[in-house]
């Protein structure tokens, strides 16, 4: 019996100790057997033997409890070690997304014109020749209708080459007065440093009774708009031509890079062209069935604004999805 103590002390795992517990203290264990054997001990010796047995039982119990505490502490330590978390480990911040610079630029443009009470209109990207060309006074023979510039579908439909067809759609479903802008994607067969086959425009249109909308109104709002977008720049209107406006103008701002001195970006002219505009051509009003009205229209390229506002030299880099570029706009 005595070597049980050694065995308990030598136990190396809780399982081993449990097996010993059953063998020693169990119902059919050695102690139970020893107590049962008391029957055969002569009565005179019983008190001595019983005392010895009880002492043995107590010391076995003590050894067992001590071993159990030791093994449990060891198991706990092992578990803590295996589940340890290294709080000093480097953890990267979660990446947060951001709007594309073209979209934030678009938002700023929209914000300006909504503050001036312009409504927002949209139109389909797949257009027909009537809305994209014909109603805008772009006759059949006009070079803009050439396959070279326009993406055509087999059924004669096309990807809109500008947002101007939304002028037509809005006038055909609404009566004047109209004061609207229309932002959206447009498509042209073009690809170089300053052109991508898809880009974005914001169209503007204001129509009211004849005499109520003048070129002076157009000039005022575009000047105010360009000052809001680009700050303290000079603005100039240059006579130009668009089939759907008469008279027409292109609008320049003084170069924001060289302050009008002349540099590479402005081709040494000191000016940057930023939009096209004019008074709506009478033929356009005729096409949508409007009479006795006057109006102005303008159109601008959002990428061009984004490039100038963020000083991005290559337009194509906006669409390559390179995070090194895009992350600068978070
Ligand atoms: N639609 C013209 C373009 O894409 C821009 C424009 C719009 C010019 C409205 C005048 C008036 O170049």
């Amino acid at each position: 019996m005595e070597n049980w103590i050694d065995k308990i002390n030598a136990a190396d795992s809780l399982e081993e100790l449990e097996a010993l517990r059953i063998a020693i203290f169990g119902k059919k264990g050695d102690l139970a057997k020893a107590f049962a054997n008391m029957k055969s001990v002569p009565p005179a010796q019983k008190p001595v033997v019983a005392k010895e047995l009880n002492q043995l039982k107590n010391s076995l119990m003590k050894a067992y409890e001590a071993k159990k505490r030791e093994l449990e502490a060891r198991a706990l330590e092992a578990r803590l070690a295996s589940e340890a978390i290294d709080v000093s480990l480097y953890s990267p911040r979660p990446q947060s997304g951001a709007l594309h610079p073209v979209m934030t630029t678009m938002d700023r443009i929209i914000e300006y014109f909504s503050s001036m009470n312009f409504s927002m209109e949209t139109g389909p990207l797949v257009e027909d020749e009537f809305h994209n060309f014909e109603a805008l006074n772009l006759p059949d023979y006009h070079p803009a209708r050439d396959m070279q510039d326009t993406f055509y579908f087999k059924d004669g439909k096309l990807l809109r080459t500008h947002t101007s067809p939304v002028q037509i759609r809005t006038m055909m479903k609404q009566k004047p007065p109209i004061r609207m802008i229309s932002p959206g994607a447009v498509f042209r067969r073009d690809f170089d440093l300053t052109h991508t086959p898809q880009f974005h425009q914001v169209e503007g249109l204001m129509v009211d009774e004849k005499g109520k909308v003048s070129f002076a109104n157009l000039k005022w709002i575009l000047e105010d708009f360009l000052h809001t977008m680009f700050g303290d720049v000079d603005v100039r209107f240059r006579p130009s031509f668009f089939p759907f406006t008469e008279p027409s103008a292109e609008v320049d701002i003084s170069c924001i890079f060289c302050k009008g001195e002349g540099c590479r970006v402005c081709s040494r002219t000191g000016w940057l062209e930023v939009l096209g505009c004019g008074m709506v051509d009478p033929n356009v009003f005729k096409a949508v069935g409007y009479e006795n009205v006057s109006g102005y229209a303008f159109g601008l390229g959002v990428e061009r604004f984004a490039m100038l506002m963020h000083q991005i030299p290559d337009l194509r880099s906006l669409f390559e999805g390179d995070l090194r570029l895009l992350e600068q706009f978070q």
Side-chain angles (χ1 to χ4, degrees):
M1 285 286 282
E2 233 96 335
N3 71 339
W4 279 126
I5 298 248
D6 296 336
K7 285 198 175 161
I8 287 173
N9 287 337
D12 202 37
S13 70
L14 283 166
E15 293 77 39
E16 218 177 293
L17 187 65
E18 175 65 3
L20 288 172
R21 185 190 66 77
I22 294 167
I24 302 167
F25 306 104
K27 261 191 226 147
K28 293 175 187 160
D30 273 12
L31 272 176
K33 278 182 205 146
F35 278 109
N37 282 343
M38 289 282 289
K39 275 186 282 183
S40 51
V41 174
Q45 285 176 28
K46 267 189 189 173
V48 185
V49 175
K51 195 179 168 198
E52 271 178 7
L53 257 183
N54 274 320
Q55 272 170 355
L56 177 65
K57 184 186 169 188
N58 283 342
S59 43
L60 279 170
M61 247 341 203
K62 252 191 221 153
Y64 168 78
E65 297 288 351
K67 194 66 187 178
K68 193 174 174 209
R69 274 195 300 277
E70 180 201 315
L71 289 175
E72 276 175 350
R74 206 206 288 170
L76 178 65
E77 233 159 75
R79 213 180 98 205
L80 286 176
S82 77
E83 291 175 5
I85 292 169
D86 183 353
V87 291
S88 71
L89 264 185
Y90 169 74
S91 74
R93 281 157 169 268
Q95 295 252 322
S96 67
L99 286 177
H100 192 277
V102 171
M103 289 303 124
T104 49
T105 306
M106 185 110 108
D107 284 349
R108 284 184 60 183
I109 298 168
I110 292 170
E111 205 176 302
Y112 173 84
F113 286 104
S114 9
S115 81
M116 291 294 179
N117 265 328
F118 282 65
S119 67
M120 274 249 271
E121 303 291 338
T122 52
L125 304 186
V126 177
E127 266 294 3
D128 50 50
E129 298 214 61
F130 174 76
H131 291 93
N132 196 80
F133 293 130
E134 217 169 289
L136 288 161
N137 199 30
L138 273 134
D140 251 351
Y141 52 80
H142 195 281
R145 291 176 74 154
D146 200 292
M147 299 282 292
Q148 299 260 310
D149 303 310
T150 307
F151 291 105
Y152 281 97
F153 294 100
K154 285 206 184 82
D155 62 1
K157 292 231 167 133
L158 49 88
L159 290 175
R160 68 179 186 188
T161 57
H162 50 182
T163 40
S164 301
V166 188
Q167 287 187 34
I168 304 301
R169 290 186 177 274
T170 307
M171 287 192 281
M172 289 183 83
K173 69 167 201 254
Q174 265 170 247
K175 289 202 172 78
I178 285 173
R179 193 188 333 205
M180 67 119 205
I181 55 164
S182 181
V186 301
F187 308 85
R188 287 181 202 174
R189 299 174 72 125
D190 240 343
F191 194 55
D192 61 34
L193 214 66
T194 50
H195 298 89
T196 47
Q198 178 189 324
F199 60 106
H200 298 82
Q201 288 188 331
V202 176
E203 190 82 10
L205 174 71
M206 164 111 154
V207 182
D208 208 335
E209 283 167 36
K210 200 174 196 96
K212 276 201 175 170
V213 183
S214 69
F215 201 95
N217 299 145
L218 172 64
K219 191 160 178 279
W220 183 87
I221 196 158
L222 289 182
E223 274 173 354
D224 189 54
F225 165 63
L226 291 171
H227 286 141
T228 305
M229 297 296 284
F230 294 105
D232 187 20
V233 290
D234 291 333
V235 177
R236 80 174 179 188
F237 285 66
R238 240 181 326 103
S240 185
F241 175 81
F242 298 102
F244 30 89
T245 46
E246 179 59 33
S248 304
E250 279 170 317
V251 184
D252 301 338
I253 56 170
S254 52
C255 182
I256 50 177
F257 299 99
C258 63
K259 307 267 174 272
E261 297 276 306
C263 67
R264 206 180 53 86
V265 184
C266 60
S267 312
R268 323 242 157 251
T269 62
W271 295 96
L272 298 164
E273 185 197 320
V274 288
L275 51 83
C277 66
M279 302 306 291
V280 179
D281 192 286
N283 283 339
V284 174
F285 286 140
K286 210 180 285 171
V288 298
Y290 274 20
E291 280 171 2
N292 291 317
V293 290
S294 56
Y296 65 66
F298 58 86
L300 62 89
V302 182
E303 279 76 4
R304 177 137 179 90
F305 271 63
M307 282 175 81
L308 294 176
M309 287 161 66
H310 298 294
Q311 319 208 350
I312 301 164
D314 184 344
L315 177 59
R316 289 170 297 192
S317 59
L318 283 175
F319 302 110
E320 281 164 355
D322 189 333
L323 288 177
R324 289 171 302 178
L325 178 104
L326 296 175
E327 273 169 358
Q328 297 174 53
F329 300 99
Q330 293 225 339

